[in-house]
Amino acid sequence: MSGSNQHLPPPVKRSASSISNSADAVFPAPPGLSYKNVAVFAQQVQQALDQTLLPASVSAKRAKVETLDADGEIATLLDNPDLSFVSLPLVSPHKLNYPLEVAPDNSVFVIVRKSYLLLKEALLELNTDDYAGLYLRGPTGVGKSYLLYVLAAELRFLRKTHRVTYINDCQAWRVDKFGFILRELWCDAVAGSDEEEMMMRMMLELIRHVKKKGLEWVIICDQHNALYAHPVVVQQFPFSIINYLSNNCDWNIKIIISASANNEGHPTEMRGWLTRDIVPHKFDDNEFAIWCNHFKLQSGEKVDPKSDDAVNAVYWTGGVPYELSLLWQQLPASLIDKTKEYRINRTNELWAAHGRFCRKLDSVEKRNLEECTVRMALGLTRPDGLVGLDWQLFDIIRQPKEGHPDKFDEFIVAFNPVARRSLMDYHGQDLLTSPCLVTELVLYGSRTQDEGRIAEKYLVSTMELLKKFSFQTKPSTVVVFQSKMLYLFVPESVAYPGYGFFIWDSKSSELLAFQVSVVKPFYEHPKFDSTAASENCQNWSVFCDAKAVHVYWVIPEGCIGGSKTKKAVGNNVVLFESLWKDYPSLERLAIRKQLSE
């Protein structure tokens, strides 16, 4: 394995009863790179796949006769929708690219995610008359390599109907451009040569062979964007074979390529290719439970996936497989300490990587990156262009339009909370305290009904950077969130029933709840006199063991309403006007509010 695999959790031996009859399989070790060794390895892989992927209910009946399902297709264990995980043999003679990990018994543990069935469905429905191939896209670490590995294993098992050429790492292919592809083809029992002319003969012969036998040939290229990294080699032989096959393929030759968002040769669209995104990016509850059961802590202890510490780990990693791997590999013994260490180390890593990315940008790209960062902080939709986007830290998500479930908006978000922290720390407070860009986006690019929500996000995001929140209420001035004894709580759920954010003063044991509003008058806001908001605030009070709770309404002065109105009396009001010094865009918002009335 490559040196980068040191970040992965130590492999844990699965129990003999964990899955079907695969516990009896003997998994072959990685071969030497001679063609003789590769041929022996390929035969051993086939035997291991027969033992692993044949359903246990029919394995005892199988000799040399394939087991078919009702449609005449060969049945595999992976056709079982209840299958959650499986250990597979190596299916490539080459080292696996990170984050795939080989256990001591030469097996590869994979969680069979729901997105795998979607990938198989997309491959089955791929029309080569309309598309050059299938383009699998997604951020780094969401599981593309795992999906393609499982697919390669299943197709290699289905040898009666399929051939598969599995290029698991295009970066490694660049280093050994002829030997790499020849050994992979040799795994499909095709004679090899290191001469360009012979290779093309071999490709043409293989095309004729699969057509004559009625087979389907699937070519898988993982990390295909490595061929676009400087210098671009995708048009050079032998890398041009992929384009050659995609341009000259018939119904029975299908190509799948994948690309990670690593800023190097990351084509967000491939013209003529059917694009599929990995969705969802994170583990669901069942998948995370399997992860916790398999990857134990150094002490051998299993993690309870529903424990507070586990939920905390999922939050900070975004539940993404690669990020969970990094967290589990941190040196501290307990999960809570691993999470703390992960947050520190990963924030520093991403901050440094983002800095290297930024230094390569021109002025137009930097401006676009600044806009993307502000839009992320304010919860706004993506800009039209993404020329300066750092794909390792950002993500684009689609959400149904309000009142139009059949239409979608695309929002720009941070990949996970650690990525968000790295972005906010790197760009500093100048980005959000400068009224220029923020005012442009908040005031002139938003709908009136969104202003309160955006103002709240602007306030909270800037507060994160300033580490203080000074405001005035009659008759006194209050200064909070300046010492290490004060904590900012920001609920993130869209359907959250409580107030916008909280500040907890552990020294005085006081809990301050804040709700930003531009509704005039403010007491017409849905959360004013809301039972759900009050009960939620009380829950926070109990959680913090607070001695006192105070609720503040953060509003423009024009939203106070009549001073003699009974509802307005006795409420703590923080005016936008008192925050202008540290939050200048609120001044422009208040002015706009006045002009619109």
Short mmCIF file of all heavy atoms in Angstrom, two decimals, residues 324-355:
data_model
loop_
_atom_site.label_atom_id
_atom_site.label_comp_id
_atom_site.label_asym_id
_atom_site.label_seq_id
_atom_site.Cartn_x
_atom_site.Cartn_y
_atom_site.Cartn_z
N LEU A 324 -14.05 10.36 8.31
CA LEU A 324 -14.16 9.46 9.47
C LEU A 324 -12.89 8.63 9.61
O LEU A 324 -12.43 8.37 10.73
CB LEU A 324 -15.38 8.55 9.31
CG LEU A 324 -16.74 9.17 9.61
CD1 LEU A 324 -17.86 8.26 9.15
CD2 LEU A 324 -16.88 9.48 11.10
N SER A 325 -12.31 8.20 8.48
CA SER A 325 -11.06 7.45 8.54
C SER A 325 -9.96 8.27 9.20
O SER A 325 -9.21 7.77 10.04
CB SER A 325 -10.62 7.04 7.13
OG SER A 325 -11.54 6.17 6.53
N LEU A 326 -9.86 9.54 8.82
CA LEU A 326 -8.84 10.42 9.41
C LEU A 326 -9.08 10.60 10.91
O LEU A 326 -8.14 10.60 11.70
CB LEU A 326 -8.85 11.78 8.71
CG LEU A 326 -8.44 11.80 7.24
CD1 LEU A 326 -8.48 13.23 6.70
CD2 LEU A 326 -7.05 11.20 7.05
N LEU A 327 -10.34 10.76 11.29
CA LEU A 327 -10.65 10.95 12.71
C LEU A 327 -10.29 9.71 13.51
O LEU A 327 -9.67 9.81 14.57
CB LEU A 327 -12.13 11.30 12.87
CG LEU A 327 -12.59 11.69 14.27
CD1 LEU A 327 -13.76 12.69 14.19
CD2 LEU A 327 -13.04 10.49 15.09
N TRP A 328 -10.66 8.54 13.01
CA TRP A 328 -10.39 7.29 13.73
C TRP A 328 -8.89 7.06 13.89
O TRP A 328 -8.47 6.39 14.83
CB TRP A 328 -11.02 6.12 12.99
CG TRP A 328 -12.10 5.41 13.75
CD1 TRP A 328 -12.01 4.19 14.34
CD2 TRP A 328 -13.44 5.86 13.99
NE1 TRP A 328 -13.20 3.84 14.93
CE2 TRP A 328 -14.10 4.85 14.73
CE3 TRP A 328 -14.15 7.01 13.66
CZ2 TRP A 328 -15.43 4.97 15.13
CZ3 TRP A 328 -15.46 7.12 14.06
CH2 TRP A 328 -16.08 6.12 14.78
N GLN A 329 -8.10 7.59 12.99
CA GLN A 329 -6.66 7.35 13.01
C GLN A 329 -5.92 8.28 13.96
O GLN A 329 -4.72 8.10 14.20
CB GLN A 329 -6.09 7.50 11.59
CG GLN A 329 -4.66 7.03 11.41
CD GLN A 329 -4.49 5.55 11.68
OE1 GLN A 329 -5.46 4.81 11.63
NE2 GLN A 329 -3.27 5.12 11.94
N GLN A 330 -6.59 9.27 14.52
CA GLN A 330 -5.92 10.19 15.45
C GLN A 330 -5.40 9.41 16.66
O GLN A 330 -5.97 8.40 17.06
CB GLN A 330 -6.89 11.29 15.89
CG GLN A 330 -7.44 12.13 14.76
CD GLN A 330 -6.36 12.86 13.97
OE1 GLN A 330 -5.45 13.46 14.55
NE2 GLN A 330 -6.46 12.82 12.65
N LEU A 331 -4.33 9.89 17.26
CA LEU A 331 -3.60 9.14 18.28
C LEU A 331 -4.34 8.95 19.61
O LEU A 331 -4.20 7.90 20.23
CB LEU A 331 -2.25 9.81 18.55
CG LEU A 331 -1.26 9.77 17.37
CD1 LEU A 331 0.02 10.51 17.74
CD2 LEU A 331 -0.96 8.33 16.98
N PRO A 332 -5.11 9.92 20.11
CA PRO A 332 -5.77 9.72 21.40
C PRO A 332 -6.62 8.45 21.42
O PRO A 332 -7.10 7.98 20.39
CB PRO A 332 -6.63 10.97 21.57
CG PRO A 332 -5.93 12.02 20.75
CD PRO A 332 -5.38 11.28 19.57
N ALA A 333 -6.82 7.91 22.61
CA ALA A 333 -7.51 6.63 22.74
C ALA A 333 -9.03 6.78 22.67
O ALA A 333 -9.71 5.96 22.05
CB ALA A 333 -7.12 5.96 24.06
N SER A 334 -9.58 7.81 23.32
CA SER A 334 -11.03 7.94 23.38
C SER A 334 -11.55 8.65 22.13
O SER A 334 -10.85 9.44 21.50
CB SER A 334 -11.44 8.73 24.62
OG SER A 334 -11.03 10.08 24.52
N LEU A 335 -12.81 8.39 21.79
CA LEU A 335 -13.39 8.99 20.59
C LEU A 335 -13.53 10.49 20.74
O LEU A 335 -13.29 11.24 19.77
CB LEU A 335 -14.75 8.35 20.30
CG LEU A 335 -15.42 8.79 18.99
CD1 LEU A 335 -14.53 8.49 17.79
CD2 LEU A 335 -16.78 8.10 18.83
N ILE A 336 -13.89 10.97 21.92
CA ILE A 336 -14.05 12.42 22.09
C ILE A 336 -12.72 13.14 21.92
O ILE A 336 -12.65 14.21 21.32
CB ILE A 336 -14.69 12.74 23.46
CG1 ILE A 336 -15.05 14.22 23.52
CG2 ILE A 336 -13.79 12.33 24.62
CD1 ILE A 336 -15.88 14.58 24.72
N ASP A 337 -11.63 12.52 22.40
CA ASP A 337 -10.31 13.14 22.23
C ASP A 337 -9.83 13.01 20.78
O ASP A 337 -9.13 13.90 20.28
CB ASP A 337 -9.30 12.49 23.18
CG ASP A 337 -9.54 12.87 24.63
OD1 ASP A 337 -10.14 13.95 24.86
OD2 ASP A 337 -9.14 12.11 25.54
N LYS A 338 -10.19 11.93 20.12
CA LYS A 338 -9.87 11.80 18.70
C LYS A 338 -10.54 12.92 17.89
O LYS A 338 -9.94 13.49 16.98
CB LYS A 338 -10.34 10.43 18.16
CG LYS A 338 -9.46 9.25 18.55
CD LYS A 338 -10.01 7.97 17.95
CE LYS A 338 -9.15 6.76 18.30
NZ LYS A 338 -7.82 6.82 17.67
N THR A 339 -11.79 13.19 18.24
CA THR A 339 -12.52 14.24 17.53
C THR A 339 -11.87 15.60 17.74
O THR A 339 -11.74 16.39 16.79
CB THR A 339 -13.99 14.28 18.00
OG1 THR A 339 -14.58 12.99 17.79
CG2 THR A 339 -14.78 15.32 17.24
N LYS A 340 -11.47 15.89 18.97
CA LYS A 340 -10.78 17.16 19.24
C LYS A 340 -9.50 17.26 18.44
O LYS A 340 -9.19 18.31 17.84
CB LYS A 340 -10.49 17.28 20.74
CG LYS A 340 -11.72 17.45 21.62
CD LYS A 340 -11.33 17.49 23.09
CE LYS A 340 -12.56 17.64 23.97
NZ LYS A 340 -12.21 17.63 25.42
N GLU A 341 -8.73 16.17 18.41
CA GLU A 341 -7.46 16.17 17.68
C GLU A 341 -7.70 16.31 16.18
O GLU A 341 -6.97 17.01 15.47
CB GLU A 341 -6.70 14.87 17.98
CG GLU A 341 -5.23 14.90 17.63
CD GLU A 341 -4.41 15.70 18.62
OE1 GLU A 341 -4.96 16.15 19.65
OE2 GLU A 341 -3.20 15.90 18.35
N TYR A 342 -8.72 15.62 15.69
CA TYR A 342 -9.07 15.72 14.27
C TYR A 342 -9.41 17.16 13.90
O TYR A 342 -8.96 17.67 12.86
CB TYR A 342 -10.26 14.80 13.97
CG TYR A 342 -10.96 15.11 12.67
CD1 TYR A 342 -10.48 14.62 11.46
CD2 TYR A 342 -12.12 15.91 12.66
CE1 TYR A 342 -11.13 14.91 10.26
CE2 TYR A 342 -12.78 16.19 11.47
CZ TYR A 342 -12.28 15.70 10.28
OH TYR A 342 -12.91 16.00 9.10
N ARG A 343 -10.20 17.81 14.73
CA ARG A 343 -10.59 19.19 14.43
C ARG A 343 -9.38 20.10 14.32
O ARG A 343 -9.29 20.93 13.40
CB ARG A 343 -11.54 19.71 15.53
CG ARG A 343 -12.92 19.07 15.50
CD ARG A 343 -13.75 19.50 16.69
NE ARG A 343 -13.87 20.95 16.77
CZ ARG A 343 -14.44 21.59 17.78
NH1 ARG A 343 -14.94 20.91 18.81
NH2 ARG A 343 -14.53 22.90 17.76
N ILE A 344 -8.43 19.94 15.23
CA ILE A 344 -7.23 20.79 15.20
C ILE A 344 -6.37 20.47 13.98
O ILE A 344 -6.01 21.36 13.20
CB ILE A 344 -6.42 20.60 16.50
CG1 ILE A 344 -7.22 21.09 17.71
CG2 ILE A 344 -5.09 21.33 16.41
CD1 ILE A 344 -6.60 20.74 19.04
N ASN A 345 -6.04 19.19 13.81
CA ASN A 345 -5.13 18.79 12.74
C ASN A 345 -5.73 19.01 11.36
O ASN A 345 -5.06 19.49 10.44
CB ASN A 345 -4.72 17.32 12.91
CG ASN A 345 -3.89 17.08 14.14
OD1 ASN A 345 -3.26 17.99 14.67
ND2 ASN A 345 -3.89 15.85 14.64
N ARG A 346 -7.00 18.64 11.21
CA ARG A 346 -7.63 18.77 9.90
C ARG A 346 -7.84 20.22 9.52
O ARG A 346 -7.68 20.59 8.34
CB ARG A 346 -8.96 18.02 9.89
CG ARG A 346 -9.55 17.81 8.51
CD ARG A 346 -8.66 16.98 7.65
NE ARG A 346 -9.30 16.62 6.38
CZ ARG A 346 -8.67 16.51 5.24
NH1 ARG A 346 -7.36 16.72 5.16
NH2 ARG A 346 -9.32 16.18 4.14
N THR A 347 -8.19 21.07 10.49
CA THR A 347 -8.33 22.50 10.21
C THR A 347 -7.02 23.07 9.71
O THR A 347 -6.98 23.83 8.73
CB THR A 347 -8.80 23.26 11.46
OG1 THR A 347 -10.08 22.77 11.87
CG2 THR A 347 -8.92 24.76 11.18
N ASN A 348 -5.92 22.71 10.37
CA ASN A 348 -4.61 23.20 9.94
C ASN A 348 -4.24 22.69 8.55
O ASN A 348 -3.68 23.44 7.73
CB ASN A 348 -3.54 22.78 10.96
CG ASN A 348 -3.69 23.49 12.29
OD1 ASN A 348 -4.28 24.57 12.37
ND2 ASN A 348 -3.18 22.89 13.36
N GLU A 349 -4.53 21.40 8.28
CA GLU A 349 -4.22 20.84 6.97
C GLU A 349 -4.99 21.55 5.86
O GLU A 349 -4.43 21.91 4.83
CB GLU A 349 -4.55 19.34 6.95
CG GLU A 349 -3.63 18.47 7.78
CD GLU A 349 -4.11 17.02 7.81
OE1 GLU A 349 -5.11 16.71 7.12
OE2 GLU A 349 -3.51 16.21 8.53
N LEU A 350 -6.29 21.72 6.08
CA LEU A 350 -7.13 22.35 5.07
C LEU A 350 -6.78 23.82 4.90
O LEU A 350 -6.83 24.36 3.79
CB LEU A 350 -8.61 22.17 5.43
CG LEU A 350 -9.12 20.73 5.41
CD1 LEU A 350 -10.59 20.68 5.86
CD2 LEU A 350 -8.98 20.10 4.03
N TRP A 351 -6.46 24.48 5.99
CA TRP A 351 -6.07 25.89 5.94
C TRP A 351 -4.83 26.05 5.07
O TRP A 351 -4.77 26.93 4.20
CB TRP A 351 -5.80 26.39 7.35
CG TRP A 351 -5.61 27.88 7.48
CD1 TRP A 351 -6.56 28.80 7.78
CD2 TRP A 351 -4.37 28.60 7.33
NE1 TRP A 351 -6.00 30.06 7.83
CE2 TRP A 351 -4.66 29.96 7.55
CE3 TRP A 351 -3.07 28.24 7.02
CZ2 TRP A 351 -3.69 30.95 7.47
CZ3 TRP A 351 -2.10 29.22 6.93
CH2 TRP A 351 -2.40 30.57 7.16
N ALA A 352 -3.83 25.19 5.29
CA ALA A 352 -2.59 25.26 4.51
C ALA A 352 -2.84 24.92 3.04
O ALA A 352 -2.32 25.59 2.13
CB ALA A 352 -1.54 24.32 5.10
N ALA A 353 -3.65 23.89 2.79
CA ALA A 353 -3.94 23.50 1.41
C ALA A 353 -4.71 24.61 0.69
O ALA A 353 -4.47 24.88 -0.50
CB ALA A 353 -4.74 22.20 1.40
N HIS A 354 -5.63 25.24 1.40
CA HIS A 354 -6.40 26.33 0.79
C HIS A 354 -5.49 27.52 0.48
O HIS A 354 -5.66 28.19 -0.55
CB HIS A 354 -7.52 26.76 1.74
CG HIS A 354 -8.45 27.77 1.16
ND1 HIS A 354 -9.22 27.51 0.04
CD2 HIS A 354 -8.74 29.05 1.53
CE1 HIS A 354 -9.94 28.59 -0.26
NE2 HIS A 354 -9.67 29.53 0.63
N GLY A 355 -4.51 27.76 1.33
CA GLY A 355 -3.57 28.83 1.08
C GLY A 355 -2.77 28.59 -0.20
O GLY A 355 -2.56 29.50 -1.02
#
